[in-house]
Amino acid sequence: MFAKLETLEKRYVELDAAMADPAVLSDMEQFRKTAKARADLEPVVLAFREYRDLKAQLEEAGAKITLK
């Protein structure tokens, strides 16, 4: 499951970069499709990133507690 989420995050980053590409910016239809694809992925990617950050924080806090 996490491999799939990482793949979606990679695609999201690619789409984000594509939106700054002059070729995409000059083609409104391509820009619209790219923006929609990015927007569709955004909620999933943001939730995955939040999960990953919280997991890291919990692991760090657990390590600190264990050391005491």
Side-chain angles (χ1 to χ4, degrees):
M1 178 170 89
F2 291 108
K4 175 71 172 177
L5 290 169
E6 289 169 353
T7 300
L8 291 176
E9 182 181 32
K10 182 180 177 187
R11 178 68 179 142
Y12 177 83
V13 170
E14 290 169 352
L15 290 167
D16 201 39
M19 290 181 64
D21 183 337
V24 175
L25 289 171
S26 66
D27 181 349
M28 287 307 293
E29 182 63 21
Q30 184 63 33
F31 182 82
R32 186 190 63 75
K33 287 179 182 179
T34 303
K36 172 143 179 28
R38 182 186 173 281
D40 289 346
L41 290 176
E42 189 169 36
V44 175
V45 170
L46 293 181
F48 175 57
R49 287 177 175 175
E50 183 176 0
Y51 164 80
R52 196 173 48 207
D53 291 345
L54 290 172
K55 183 179 178 208
Q57 289 175 21
L58 284 172
E59 289 171 355
E60 183 180 328
K64 288 180 182 177
I65 293 170
T66 304
L67 294 174
K68 289 185 178 180

